[in-house]
Amino acid sequence: MGAIVIKEVKTKKEQKEFLNFPLKLYRDNPCFVPPLYSDEKKIFRKDYVYYDTCEAVYYNAYRDGKMVGRISGILQKVSNELRNERRVRFTRFDTVNDLEVARELFEAVETWALEKGMDTICGPLGFSDLEREGLLIEGFEHLATFEEQYNAAYYGEQIEQLGYAKEVDWTESMIKAPADYDGSLDKMTDFIMKRYNLHFGPAKSVNEFLKLYADKFFELLDKSYAHLYGTVPFTDGMKKMMISNFKLIVKLKYVAVILDENDNLVCLGICFPSIAKAVQKSNGHLTPLALVRILRALQKPKVLDLALVGVDPAYLNRGISTAVAAGLMHMLQSDGIEYAETNLNLEDNFAIRNLWKRFDETQHKRRRSYVKKLNVEGEKA
C-alpha cells in the first residue's frame, strides 16, 4: 500500500475531486443527503459570500493515485473577535475507514492553523451556522435532513483517537402531533397574545413576506442566537444569500411571525418542506428530473424541516414559545404531513428542547462538535 499524499486544493481538477468525494463515498448509502452541488461549488469562488470575513483552506488525500479523503479549515475572524479566541474550524471532513488518512488530513489543518497564529481546532463547523455543522454520533440509520451532513460511525472514533474531545452536543428529534391533542395550546396562545398585545404578521406572498419582515427577522435572529455556540452575526452577503434560498423553498403556510403592538418582530418560526429525498437521486445536481422532484416535494410535503425559531430575549419568559408550538401543531395536522425534524438543538438549550415535549417526540439523532488545543511554541497541548 502506497504512502498517503496530502495536496492543498488548487486546480479545477482538485476542486472537482474535493466536491465529488463524499458523493462517491456514500453513493450506496440510503441515509446520505447531498447538498446542492451548485451551492457547494461556490466555496471555490473568490467572491464567495464568506470570504470578506473568513479565510479557508482545502485539502485532498490520495493513496496510489486514488482520492481517499478530504478536509477544510476555516479561520472565522468575526467569531474569534467576538469570543476573544484563536480558533480554526474544521469542516467538510470525509474519509475512508483508515485512521492514518484522517491523521494526515487533520495534521494538515493543524499546521495551517499554527501558521495563522491560532491555538485551537474545533468542529465540524462551517463558516456560519447557516452551513452544515456537527458530527453525527447517533442515528446513523436515519435519513439525513437536507440541512445537515451525514457521516459514517467511524469518523467520531478517528477524531477522538487523534486527541479531539467533545465540546458541545446537539440533539435532533422527530415530532408528530399527538393523537389526543385537545387544542390547549391554542387557548394558551390566545391568552398570551391578548396579554402582551401581540398579533400574527400577515403576508399574501413570499415576496411580500420578505419585503415586510426580512430585515426584522435578521435582527431578531442576531439577538436570539448571539449566545449560542459558534454563531456569528449576519452580514449583508449572508442576508442576500439566505433570502435567495428562501424564495426557492419557503411556503407561507409553514411560516409564523408574531409582532407587538408597534409591529416589532418578537417571534418567528419557519419550516421548510423536506427536499432530502428529492435531491438524493441526482447527487445534488439540479437536473430537470431533480427539479421536478423538488417541486413535488415543496407542493405536497410529507416531512417538514424546522429551519429557524427565534424569540426576542425580552419575551423568553412570557410563554411566547406556546404560540410557536401551536403554530407547529397546526402544520403537523395538515394533510399529508407525517412528522417534522427539529434539526440541531444544543443539548443545554432547555427552552427549545422542552418545547418538543408538547408533541409526540422521538429523539433520534445526536451530533457533536469537537475541540483540541494545539502545541504552540513548544507549550504542552
Side-chain angles (χ1 to χ4, degrees), residues 309 321-322 324-325 328 350-359:
V309 176
S321 61
T322 301
V324 176
L328 181 56
F350 299 110
I352 192 71
R353 292 187 64 194
N354 286 337
L355 190 63
W356 311 138
K357 294 179 180 179
R358 302 175 182 271
F359 300 83

Side-chain angles (χ1 to χ4, degrees), residues 166 189 259 273 284 314:
K166 170 187 172 179
T189 297
L259 310 172

Side-chain angles (χ1 to χ4, degrees), residues 276-284 293:
K277 291 184 178 180
V279 301
Q280 274 187 317
K281 292 183 180 180
S282 65
N283 260 337
R293 287 193 293 267

Side-chain angles (χ1 to χ4, degrees), residues 87-299:
R87 292 187 168 207
V88 157
R89 302 173 171 197
F90 75 85
T91 185
R92 293 172 172 84
F93 167 64
D94 289 288
T95 179
V96 297
N97 192 1
D98 186 324
L99 179 61
E100 292 311 307
V101 175
R103 187 188 308 279
E104 299 252 2
L105 285 167
F106 274 93
E107 285 181 356
V109 171
E110 290 167 10
T111 298
W112 182 75
L114 290 170
E115 290 171 352
K116 294 294 180 179
M118 302 296 108
D119 62 12
T120 303
I121 305 286
C122 64
L125 290 173
F127 292 95
S128 77
D129 62 329
L130 296 181
E131 288 208 310
R132 297 177 169 199
E133 58 188 354
L135 193 86
L136 188 66
I137 59 171
E138 294 176 8
F140 303 101
E141 71 278 20
H142 295 286
L143 178 70
T145 63
F146 173 70
E147 295 81 8
E148 300 303 336
Q149 183 65 24
Y150 183 85
N151 60 263
Y154 60 79
Y155 283 30
E157 298 168 5
Q158 292 177 343
I159 290 171
E160 290 173 12
Q161 289 183 66
L162 296 177
Y164 288 77
K166 170 187 172 179
E167 184 161 45
V168 300
D169 274 9
W170 294 269
T171 62
E172 299 177 58
S173 293
M174 183 186 301
I175 58 174
K176 302 177 181 180
D180 59 350
Y181 175 61
D182 59 3
S184 57
L185 287 175
D186 297 289
K187 297 176 183 178
M188 294 173 64
T189 297
D190 288 342
F191 172 78
I192 290 167
M193 299 287 275
K194 291 176 182 177
R195 181 176 183 181
Y196 297 111
N197 294 317
L198 305 176
H199 61 280
F200 287 99
K204 296 178 181 178
S205 67
V206 172
N207 284 335
E208 183 182 14
F209 168 79
L210 292 171
K211 183 178 179 180
L212 289 172
Y213 307 118
D215 289 339
K216 294 178 180 179
F217 75 59
F218 286 123
E219 182 181 338
L220 177 63
L221 290 175
D222 275 341
K223 285 196 295 185
S224 57
Y225 286 11
H227 67 290
L228 298 181
Y229 177 80
T231 58
V232 292
F234 286 93
T235 63
D236 289 341
M238 290 165 63
K239 293 175 184 178
K240 185 177 180 180
M241 177 180 68
M242 195 169 176
I243 288 172
S244 177
N245 292 340
F246 271 19
K247 288 181 179 179
L248 294 176
I249 59 176
V250 75
K251 294 291 180 183
L252 285 184
K253 65 186 297 185
Y254 305 124
V255 174
V257 172
I258 298 176
L259 310 172
D260 67 13
E261 56 191 337
N262 298 313
D263 284 340
N264 297 310
L265 185 60
V266 300
C267 181
L268 69 88
I270 300 176
C271 293
F272 295 145
S274 172
I275 61 171
K277 291 184 178 180
V279 301
Q280 274 187 317
K281 292 183 180 180
S282 65
N283 260 337
H285 293 275
L286 290 177
T287 64
L289 281 176
L291 287 170
V292 170
R293 287 193 293 267
I294 290 172
L295 288 172
R296 286 175 179 169
L298 294 176
Q299 293 301 323

Side-chain angles (χ1 to χ4, degrees), residues 39 41-54 127 235 237-238 240-241:
D39 285 346
K41 283 177 64 177
K42 294 175 183 176
I43 63 176
F44 294 117
R45 287 174 44 171
K46 291 182 180 180
D47 63 349
Y48 187 45
V49 66
Y50 290 108
Y51 290 151
D52 56 346
T53 58
C54 301
F127 292 95
T235 63
M238 290 165 63
K240 185 177 180 180
M241 177 180 68

